[in-house]
Amino acid sequence: MTTERPDDAQLSAWLDGEVEGSDCARIQAWLQEHPEDAARVRLWAADRDALRARFSSVLDEPMPESLTQTAWRRGVRANRGHWWQGVAAVALLGVGVAIGALWRGGVAREPAVAATQGWTQRAAVAHAVYAPEERHPVEVSVREGDSARQREQEQHLSRWLTRRLAVPVKLFDLRNEGFELVGGRLLPDANGPSAQLMYQDAMGQRVTVYLRKAAQEASAAFRYDRKGDLGMFYWVDGPCGYALVGPQPRERLLALAEAIAKQDPDPAKR
Amino acid sequence: MQADDVFRHQLLGVIPRLRRYARSLVFDNPAADDLVQTTLERALAHWHQFDQRRDLLVWVLSIAHNAHLDQRRRDARLSVVDPERASADQDARGGAPGVDVGLRIDLVHALARLSPEQREPLLLVSVEQLTYAECAEVLHIPVGTVMSRVSRARASLRQFLDGSDRSAVGGSRGLRRVI
């Protein structure tokens, strides 16, 4: 019987059960008639078994407590994480140094705002890091699934952020201004968690709203700063500090900031 | 968004196999568990992206593959396998009973000499017993590439174990044939 000689890749795939039908029969026939090739495949099989034997004992080892705890830990990303350190920290460092340097000049001149400098900087960095993200711009998306699913996600996002920030977080409706909510994420701030809400217009341009529980700073009116491509309005209203960041012109950002301030969730203000 | 308890239970279920893969990839036990830890954290941070119709193990192994790549890029220590230490670790733990010590050392030596591009598909197919399609999904490469890499990995491994490359494999330890 003469058949075409199967190459090593085909023999190897045959060993792994990846060859079907007539090809499989052809290879079996070949191996029966060619003991040297058959011996080689048997050695591969022996290596495979040796590898399995070498590492299978791991399955019987007791599971380290630390791994079990990781699986059950809440708020993995906010509390600690190689994930953040590995991916975001590198980005934050680079972008943060650049943007922090840009921002410092404008804000630091006004003593009244000095205390807020740190967090507005973080708001700008967070925008620069996440707004360009195509696939993972937000942690919780409110745009996936049908409308019922979206509403459910909106409620979830609002409740979650409110609980974590310990200030009421309302998902501002900016549709009158042409912006749809994309979703939000939790971020680390100096003294606890902060939140970022992301909005997008029909052209795909994004703005982010950074929220944090105000430390001690008194309520403060809108302030504007712009450096490079990004503009920012920031203010403190009751228990919450807000920073609206985006590449839009000042008037556009102001309109958005006013729309947000009008929707202030603090019941004392209504 | 916090991962729900069902997902966490599923995740716990795949940890042993995840550990085995990490161990076969990294050799150094603490480093392997670090990789597992990172993988779990990433899985939890992205749990809502997991499609429940798919195989969680394949998804998690894919995360481990990415994390391992990141680690190799970030930290040269993890890319340099130290077989002496790996076998010392193994010997200290006693290893699997009844298995020849020389066999384990040679196997790990040989495995460590494979390029990561060959080692990963070989381990996924041989030890984790994934199909080529699953392996392709984990590694983000075409099925045909899996097929050729597994085949080349087998040939290289055999070459190292046969001692046709003796000088570099065993050093002063001397080689024993596996089979």
Side-chain angles (χ1 to χ4, degrees):
Chain A
M1 178 175 172
T2 55
T3 45
E4 196 188 335
R5 183 180 196 283
D7 63 21
D8 275 11
Q10 286 173 311
L11 291 175
S12 162
W14 175 84
L15 176 63
D16 291 321
E18 295 279 340
V19 179
E20 289 175 349
S22 61
D23 284 342
C24 184
R26 180 173 65 86
I27 291 174
Q28 270 167 345
W30 176 272
L31 290 174
Q32 274 168 15
E33 293 173 21
H34 297 82
E36 279 192 13
D37 280 340
R40 213 149 43 90
V41 173
R42 271 201 301 279
L43 280 178
W44 293 343
D47 289 343
R48 178 195 62 193
D49 296 343
L51 282 172
R52 282 182 196 163
R54 168 63 179 79
F55 293 106
S56 63
S57 63
V58 180
L59 296 179
D60 301 324
E61 286 179 25
M63 183 124 56
E65 185 100 347
S66 60
L67 295 180
T68 322
Q69 281 171 357
T70 299
W72 287 108
R73 192 186 304 135
R74 306 285 158 176
V76 161
R77 197 183 305 198
N79 294 337
R80 76 181 278 274
H82 301 91
W83 172 228
W84 240 92
Q85 289 159 9
V87 180
V90 174
L92 280 172
L93 196 65
V95 181
V97 167
I99 295 190
L102 285 175
W103 232 276
R104 203 165 294 126
V107 184
R109 277 196 299 278
E110 302 172 71
V113 208
T116 64
Q117 178 193 328
W119 71 271
T120 56
Q121 196 173 306
R122 284 189 288 275
V125 171
H127 180 96
V129 170
Y130 293 112
E133 271 288 319
E134 290 291 330
R135 289 185 63 199
H136 312 298
V138 293
E139 203 171 359
V140 177
S141 169
V142 300
R143 303 185 99 178
E144 287 163 12
D146 56 17
S147 59
R149 169 77 178 151
Q150 292 180 357
R151 267 200 308 281
E152 192 181 289
Q153 285 298 88
E154 283 178 12
Q155 287 170 2
H156 165 77
L157 179 61
S158 171
R159 275 201 307 271
W160 173 51
L161 294 176
T162 297
R163 193 175 69 241
R164 294 304 306 271
L165 265 64
V167 291
V169 173
K170 181 174 171 171
L171 307 182
F172 307 106
D173 184 348
L174 301 179
R175 280 175 294 187
N176 285 342
E177 306 295 328
F179 280 85
E180 293 268 1
L181 181 63
V182 179
R185 68 169 67 241
L186 196 64
L187 294 168
D189 199 76
N191 301 314
S194 59
Q196 182 190 55
L197 301 177
M198 191 175 295
Y199 294 83
Q200 182 170 317
D201 70 8
M203 306 293 292
Q205 278 220 320
R206 286 167 172 174
V207 294
T208 58
V209 182
Y210 186 90
L211 302 103
R212 73 189 283 266
K213 187 177 186 176
Q216 278 110 25
E217 61 262 44
S219 290
F222 288 162
R223 286 172 190 275
Y224 178 73
D225 200 4
R226 181 172 207 99
K227 287 289 182 290
D229 293 338
L230 287 182
M232 174 196 283
F233 271 100
Y234 58 97
W235 67 99
V236 178
D237 199 348
C240 198
Y242 301 84
L244 172 76
V245 189
Q248 292 77 4
R250 180 188 170 121
E251 308 75 53
R252 189 93 176 89
L253 287 177
L254 179 61
L256 287 164
E258 284 175 334
I260 290 167
K262 267 187 229 159
Q263 297 175 38
D264 193 313
D266 185 353
K269 300 232 181 271
R270 299 204 200 186
Chain B
M1 178 160 51
Q2 291 290 329
D4 66 14
D5 287 355
V6 174
F7 180 81
R8 289 173 194 272
H9 277 295
Q10 290 175 319
L11 199 57
L12 276 176
V14 302
I15 289 179
R17 290 189 63 184
L18 179 61
R19 286 186 82 208
R20 176 172 65 180
Y21 182 58
R23 194 79 65 83
S24 67
L25 211 52
V26 182
F27 303 115
D28 176 67
N29 294 3
D33 276 347
D34 277 353
L35 178 60
V36 173
Q37 178 93 20
T38 304
T39 304
L40 293 177
E41 286 170 359
R42 290 191 185 186
L44 283 168
H46 293 270
W47 77 281
H48 53 281
Q49 289 166 10
F50 173 65
D51 182 345
Q52 282 289 350
R53 289 165 298 188
R54 293 174 53 200
D55 186 332
L56 182 66
L57 179 70
V58 171
W59 189 70
V60 168
L61 287 176
S62 172
I63 294 176
H65 163 71
N66 291 337
H68 181 56
L69 265 186
D70 292 346
Q71 269 176 4
R72 268 165 47 205
R73 289 184 187 129
R74 199 164 51 230
D75 187 344
R77 281 175 304 162
L78 292 184
S79 70
V80 178
V81 173
D82 181 351
E84 295 295 328
R85 185 173 167 194
S87 32
D89 279 356
Q90 178 72 13
D91 292 342
R93 291 190 305 105
V99 181
D100 180 279
V101 173
L103 181 154
R104 281 183 283 115
I105 291 169
D106 291 350
L107 193 64
V108 171
H109 268 285
L111 192 61
R113 292 191 62 202
L114 294 179
S115 71
E117 288 69 28
Q118 288 185 4
R119 190 162 64 228
E120 280 198 89
L122 180 68
L123 288 169
L124 288 171
V125 167
S126 297
V127 180
E128 300 311 323
Q129 302 179 42
L130 299 191
T131 65
Y132 283 11
E134 289 168 333
C135 182
E137 198 180 327
V138 168
L139 300 175
H140 320 294
I141 55 178
V143 171
T145 308
V146 171
M147 180 167 154
S148 57
R149 286 190 187 172
V150 169
S151 157
R152 284 203 299 270
R154 283 194 166 122
S156 305
L157 192 71
R158 194 86 301 272
Q159 194 185 354
F160 298 150
L161 289 167
D162 275 343
S164 53
D165 215 275
R166 183 174 296 260
S167 57
V169 180
S172 59
R173 237 174 230 276
L175 274 179
R176 280 187 235 185
R177 286 182 58 103
V178 164
I179 307 305

mmCIF file of all heavy atoms in Angstrom, chain A residues 82-113:
data_model
loop_
_atom_site.group_PDB
_atom_site.id
_atom_site.type_symbol
_atom_site.label_atom_id
_atom_site.label_comp_id
_atom_site.label_asym_id
_atom_site.label_seq_id
_atom_site.Cartn_x
_atom_site.Cartn_y
_atom_site.Cartn_z
ATOM 1 N N HIS A 82 -2.547 43.283 41.355
ATOM 2 C CA HIS A 82 -1.509 43.314 40.327
ATOM 3 C C HIS A 82 -2.084 43.894 39.061
ATOM 4 O O HIS A 82 -1.409 44.486 38.268
ATOM 5 C CB HIS A 82 -1.015 41.906 40.051
ATOM 6 C CG HIS A 82 -0.459 41.246 41.266
ATOM 7 N ND1 HIS A 82 -1.221 40.486 42.100
ATOM 8 C CD2 HIS A 82 0.791 41.268 41.791
ATOM 9 C CE1 HIS A 82 -0.457 40.041 43.085
ATOM 10 N NE2 HIS A 82 0.748 40.500 42.924
ATOM 11 N N TRP A 83 -3.387 43.689 38.910
ATOM 12 C CA TRP A 83 -4.064 44.140 37.699
ATOM 13 C C TRP A 83 -3.898 45.641 37.540
ATOM 14 O O TRP A 83 -3.435 46.127 36.509
ATOM 15 C CB TRP A 83 -5.519 43.738 37.838
ATOM 16 C CG TRP A 83 -6.436 44.268 36.795
ATOM 17 C CD1 TRP A 83 -7.635 44.868 37.021
ATOM 18 C CD2 TRP A 83 -6.277 44.223 35.376
ATOM 19 N NE1 TRP A 83 -8.200 45.189 35.834
ATOM 20 C CE2 TRP A 83 -7.390 44.808 34.810
ATOM 21 C CE3 TRP A 83 -5.269 43.747 34.540
ATOM 22 C CZ2 TRP A 83 -7.552 44.930 33.467
ATOM 23 C CZ3 TRP A 83 -5.435 43.876 33.185
ATOM 24 C CH2 TRP A 83 -6.564 44.453 32.661
ATOM 25 N N TRP A 84 -4.216 46.339 38.599
ATOM 26 C CA TRP A 84 -4.096 47.779 38.549
ATOM 27 C C TRP A 84 -2.645 48.202 38.440
ATOM 28 O O TRP A 84 -2.272 49.035 37.638
ATOM 29 C CB TRP A 84 -4.687 48.377 39.832
ATOM 30 C CG TRP A 84 -5.803 49.274 39.502
ATOM 31 C CD1 TRP A 84 -7.126 48.935 39.422
ATOM 32 C CD2 TRP A 84 -5.720 50.655 39.160
ATOM 33 N NE1 TRP A 84 -7.853 50.020 39.047
ATOM 34 C CE2 TRP A 84 -7.021 51.088 38.884
ATOM 35 C CE3 TRP A 84 -4.669 51.558 39.057
ATOM 36 C CZ2 TRP A 84 -7.298 52.391 38.521
ATOM 37 C CZ3 TRP A 84 -4.947 52.856 38.694
ATOM 38 C CH2 TRP A 84 -6.249 53.260 38.428
ATOM 39 N N GLN A 85 -1.850 47.560 39.281
ATOM 40 C CA GLN A 85 -0.442 47.928 39.268
ATOM 41 C C GLN A 85 0.151 47.665 37.901
ATOM 42 O O GLN A 85 0.896 48.472 37.364
ATOM 43 C CB GLN A 85 0.321 47.097 40.312
ATOM 44 C CG GLN A 85 -0.023 47.503 41.727
ATOM 45 C CD GLN A 85 0.294 46.406 42.713
ATOM 46 O OE1 GLN A 85 0.913 45.411 42.364
ATOM 47 N NE2 GLN A 85 -0.135 46.574 43.935
ATOM 48 N N GLY A 86 -0.229 46.529 37.362
ATOM 49 C CA GLY A 86 0.409 46.110 36.136
ATOM 50 C C GLY A 86 0.004 46.937 34.932
ATOM 51 O O GLY A 86 0.844 47.334 34.141
ATOM 52 N N VAL A 87 -1.266 47.194 34.812
ATOM 53 C CA VAL A 87 -1.739 47.837 33.598
ATOM 54 C C VAL A 87 -1.937 49.331 33.793
ATOM 55 O O VAL A 87 -1.333 50.151 33.113
ATOM 56 C CB VAL A 87 -3.060 47.195 33.122
ATOM 57 C CG1 VAL A 87 -3.539 47.879 31.865
ATOM 58 C CG2 VAL A 87 -2.843 45.712 32.905
ATOM 59 N N ALA A 88 -2.773 49.665 34.767
ATOM 60 C CA ALA A 88 -3.131 51.069 34.889
ATOM 61 C C ALA A 88 -1.991 51.906 35.452
ATOM 62 O O ALA A 88 -1.758 53.028 35.021
ATOM 63 C CB ALA A 88 -4.359 51.204 35.777
ATOM 64 N N ALA A 89 -1.256 51.312 36.393
ATOM 65 C CA ALA A 89 -0.232 52.117 37.052
ATOM 66 C C ALA A 89 0.805 52.615 36.060
ATOM 67 O O ALA A 89 1.249 53.764 36.126
ATOM 68 C CB ALA A 89 0.440 51.305 38.159
ATOM 69 N N VAL A 90 1.148 51.751 35.134
ATOM 70 C CA VAL A 90 2.125 52.170 34.139
ATOM 71 C C VAL A 90 1.564 53.329 33.331
ATOM 72 O O VAL A 90 2.212 54.359 33.135
ATOM 73 C CB VAL A 90 2.487 50.980 33.219
ATOM 74 C CG1 VAL A 90 3.384 51.458 32.089
ATOM 75 C CG2 VAL A 90 3.181 49.894 34.020
ATOM 76 N N ALA A 91 0.318 53.161 32.912
ATOM 77 C CA ALA A 91 -0.323 54.222 32.139
ATOM 78 C C ALA A 91 -0.477 55.481 32.990
ATOM 79 O O ALA A 91 -0.157 56.587 32.563
ATOM 80 C CB ALA A 91 -1.685 53.746 31.646
ATOM 81 N N LEU A 92 -0.931 55.273 34.229
ATOM 82 C CA LEU A 92 -1.163 56.418 35.102
ATOM 83 C C LEU A 92 0.120 57.183 35.363
ATOM 84 O O LEU A 92 0.142 58.399 35.362
ATOM 85 C CB LEU A 92 -1.738 55.944 36.448
ATOM 86 C CG LEU A 92 -3.225 55.646 36.453
ATOM 87 C CD1 LEU A 92 -3.617 55.010 37.765
ATOM 88 C CD2 LEU A 92 -4.034 56.905 36.215
ATOM 89 N N LEU A 93 1.180 56.423 35.540
ATOM 90 C CA LEU A 93 2.439 57.064 35.849
ATOM 91 C C LEU A 93 2.836 57.998 34.714
ATOM 92 O O LEU A 93 3.081 59.183 34.904
ATOM 93 C CB LEU A 93 3.522 55.993 36.056
ATOM 94 C CG LEU A 93 4.776 56.492 36.743
ATOM 95 C CD1 LEU A 93 4.442 56.914 38.153
ATOM 96 C CD2 LEU A 93 5.839 55.407 36.751
ATOM 97 N N GLY A 94 2.842 57.427 33.521
ATOM 98 C CA GLY A 94 3.264 58.224 32.371
ATOM 99 C C GLY A 94 2.343 59.399 32.135
ATOM 100 O O GLY A 94 2.773 60.561 32.099
ATOM 101 N N VAL A 95 1.068 59.091 32.017
ATOM 102 C CA VAL A 95 0.107 60.142 31.727
ATOM 103 C C VAL A 95 0.025 61.101 32.903
ATOM 104 O O VAL A 95 -0.098 62.309 32.735
ATOM 105 C CB VAL A 95 -1.281 59.525 31.435
ATOM 106 C CG1 VAL A 95 -2.281 60.611 31.095
ATOM 107 C CG2 VAL A 95 -1.177 58.535 30.294
ATOM 108 N N GLY A 96 0.101 60.519 34.105
ATOM 109 C CA GLY A 96 -0.039 61.339 35.306
ATOM 110 C C GLY A 96 1.059 62.370 35.431
ATOM 111 O O GLY A 96 0.803 63.537 35.727
ATOM 112 N N VAL A 97 2.270 61.946 35.155
ATOM 113 C CA VAL A 97 3.377 62.885 35.243
ATOM 114 C C VAL A 97 3.165 64.016 34.241
ATOM 115 O O VAL A 97 3.270 65.191 34.569
ATOM 116 C CB VAL A 97 4.722 62.166 34.974
ATOM 117 C CG1 VAL A 97 5.829 63.169 34.748
ATOM 118 C CG2 VAL A 97 5.051 61.269 36.154
ATOM 119 N N ALA A 98 2.799 63.623 33.038
ATOM 120 C CA ALA A 98 2.628 64.631 31.991
ATOM 121 C C ALA A 98 1.491 65.590 32.329
ATOM 122 O O ALA A 98 1.659 66.815 32.340
ATOM 123 C CB ALA A 98 2.362 63.940 30.654
ATOM 124 N N ILE A 99 0.337 65.001 32.648
ATOM 125 C CA ILE A 99 -0.828 65.854 32.864
ATOM 126 C C ILE A 99 -0.738 66.581 34.193
ATOM 127 O O ILE A 99 -1.093 67.753 34.305
ATOM 128 C CB ILE A 99 -2.109 65.013 32.786
ATOM 129 C CG1 ILE A 99 -2.221 64.503 31.362
ATOM 130 C CG2 ILE A 99 -3.310 65.833 33.179
ATOM 131 C CD1 ILE A 99 -3.504 63.868 31.048
ATOM 132 N N GLY A 100 -0.206 65.876 35.194
ATOM 133 C CA GLY A 100 -0.042 66.514 36.486
ATOM 134 C C GLY A 100 0.813 67.763 36.356
ATOM 135 O O GLY A 100 0.495 68.814 36.901
ATOM 136 N N ALA A 101 1.868 67.640 35.584
ATOM 137 C CA ALA A 101 2.751 68.784 35.395
ATOM 138 C C ALA A 101 2.012 69.915 34.694
ATOM 139 O O ALA A 101 2.118 71.078 35.064
ATOM 140 C CB ALA A 101 3.973 68.368 34.585
ATOM 141 N N LEU A 102 1.212 69.554 33.725
ATOM 142 C CA LEU A 102 0.445 70.565 33.003
ATOM 143 C C LEU A 102 -0.523 71.276 33.933
ATOM 144 O O LEU A 102 -0.671 72.488 33.907
ATOM 145 C CB LEU A 102 -0.357 69.905 31.875
ATOM 146 C CG LEU A 102 0.434 69.468 30.643
ATOM 147 C CD1 LEU A 102 -0.485 68.728 29.689
ATOM 148 C CD2 LEU A 102 1.019 70.688 29.951
ATOM 149 N N TRP A 103 -1.205 70.462 34.735
ATOM 150 C CA TRP A 103 -2.283 71.022 35.514
ATOM 151 C C TRP A 103 -1.811 71.866 36.688
ATOM 152 O O TRP A 103 -2.449 72.805 37.091
ATOM 153 C CB TRP A 103 -3.187 69.894 36.039
ATOM 154 C CG TRP A 103 -4.602 70.178 35.683
ATOM 155 C CD1 TRP A 103 -5.459 70.971 36.381
ATOM 156 C CD2 TRP A 103 -5.309 69.735 34.531
ATOM 157 N NE1 TRP A 103 -6.655 71.054 35.733
ATOM 158 C CE2 TRP A 103 -6.588 70.299 34.595
ATOM 159 C CE3 TRP A 103 -4.986 68.936 33.452
ATOM 160 C CZ2 TRP A 103 -7.548 70.082 33.620
ATOM 161 C CZ3 TRP A 103 -5.942 68.710 32.495
ATOM 162 C CH2 TRP A 103 -7.198 69.283 32.570
ATOM 163 N N ARG A 104 -0.696 71.477 37.207
ATOM 164 C CA ARG A 104 -0.252 72.105 38.433
ATOM 165 C C ARG A 104 -0.115 73.619 38.258
ATOM 166 O O ARG A 104 -0.555 74.398 39.075
ATOM 167 C CB ARG A 104 1.087 71.493 38.867
ATOM 168 C CG ARG A 104 1.357 71.664 40.333
ATOM 169 C CD ARG A 104 2.482 70.736 40.759
ATOM 170 N NE ARG A 104 2.118 69.346 40.656
ATOM 171 C CZ ARG A 104 2.827 68.444 39.985
ATOM 172 N NH1 ARG A 104 3.909 68.782 39.342
ATOM 173 N NH2 ARG A 104 2.432 67.196 39.958
ATOM 174 N N GLY A 105 0.455 74.003 37.126
ATOM 175 C CA GLY A 105 0.695 75.418 36.880
ATOM 176 C C GLY A 105 -0.559 76.243 37.066
ATOM 177 O O GLY A 105 -0.575 77.215 37.826
ATOM 178 N N GLY A 106 -1.650 75.828 36.437
ATOM 179 C CA GLY A 106 -2.866 76.628 36.447
ATOM 180 C C GLY A 106 -3.547 76.672 37.797
ATOM 181 O O GLY A 106 -4.020 77.723 38.228
ATOM 182 N N VAL A 107 -3.589 75.566 38.476
ATOM 183 C CA VAL A 107 -4.395 75.494 39.690
ATOM 184 C C VAL A 107 -3.664 76.042 40.909
ATOM 185 O O VAL A 107 -4.254 76.690 41.756
ATOM 186 C CB VAL A 107 -4.823 74.033 39.954
ATOM 187 C CG1 VAL A 107 -5.736 73.958 41.161
ATOM 188 C CG2 VAL A 107 -5.515 73.479 38.725
ATOM 189 N N ALA A 108 -2.384 75.793 40.968
ATOM 190 C CA ALA A 108 -1.673 76.085 42.201
ATOM 191 C C ALA A 108 -1.583 77.575 42.504
ATOM 192 O O ALA A 108 -1.336 77.956 43.637
ATOM 193 C CB ALA A 108 -0.260 75.495 42.131
ATOM 194 N N ARG A 109 -1.787 78.375 41.520
ATOM 195 C CA ARG A 109 -1.696 79.819 41.769
ATOM 196 C C ARG A 109 -2.806 80.322 42.686
ATOM 197 O O ARG A 109 -2.696 81.341 43.321
ATOM 198 C CB ARG A 109 -1.744 80.595 40.446
ATOM 199 C CG ARG A 109 -0.398 80.680 39.756
ATOM 200 C CD ARG A 109 -0.407 81.751 38.699
ATOM 201 N NE ARG A 109 -1.386 81.518 37.660
ATOM 202 C CZ ARG A 109 -1.182 80.704 36.620
ATOM 203 N NH1 ARG A 109 -0.051 80.073 36.497
ATOM 204 N NH2 ARG A 109 -2.116 80.537 35.718
ATOM 205 N N GLU A 110 -3.923 79.615 42.723
ATOM 206 C CA GLU A 110 -5.041 80.070 43.550
ATOM 207 C C GLU A 110 -5.030 79.305 44.864
ATOM 208 O O GLU A 110 -5.346 78.122 44.890
ATOM 209 C CB GLU A 110 -6.370 79.820 42.825
ATOM 210 C CG GLU A 110 -6.437 80.516 41.493
ATOM 211 C CD GLU A 110 -7.682 80.101 40.721
ATOM 212 O OE1 GLU A 110 -8.766 80.512 41.144
ATOM 213 O OE2 GLU A 110 -7.561 79.371 39.742
ATOM 214 N N PRO A 111 -4.689 79.967 45.956
ATOM 215 C CA PRO A 111 -4.533 79.267 47.230
ATOM 216 C C PRO A 111 -5.816 78.556 47.669
ATOM 217 O O PRO A 111 -5.763 77.473 48.236
ATOM 218 C CB PRO A 111 -4.197 80.401 48.213
ATOM 219 C CG PRO A 111 -3.787 81.567 47.367
ATOM 220 C CD PRO A 111 -4.430 81.399 46.053
ATOM 221 N N ALA A 112 -6.959 79.155 47.392
ATOM 222 C CA ALA A 112 -8.222 78.582 47.853
ATOM 223 C C ALA A 112 -8.451 77.185 47.272
ATOM 224 O O ALA A 112 -9.160 76.380 47.840
ATOM 225 C CB ALA A 112 -9.381 79.490 47.468
ATOM 226 N N VAL A 113 -7.846 76.932 46.156
ATOM 227 C CA VAL A 113 -8.104 75.667 45.485
ATOM 228 C C VAL A 113 -6.980 74.673 45.710
ATOM 229 O O VAL A 113 -7.038 73.553 45.237
ATOM 230 C CB VAL A 113 -8.288 75.883 43.962
ATOM 231 C CG1 VAL A 113 -9.183 74.813 43.412
ATOM 232 C CG2 VAL A 113 -8.859 77.258 43.678
#
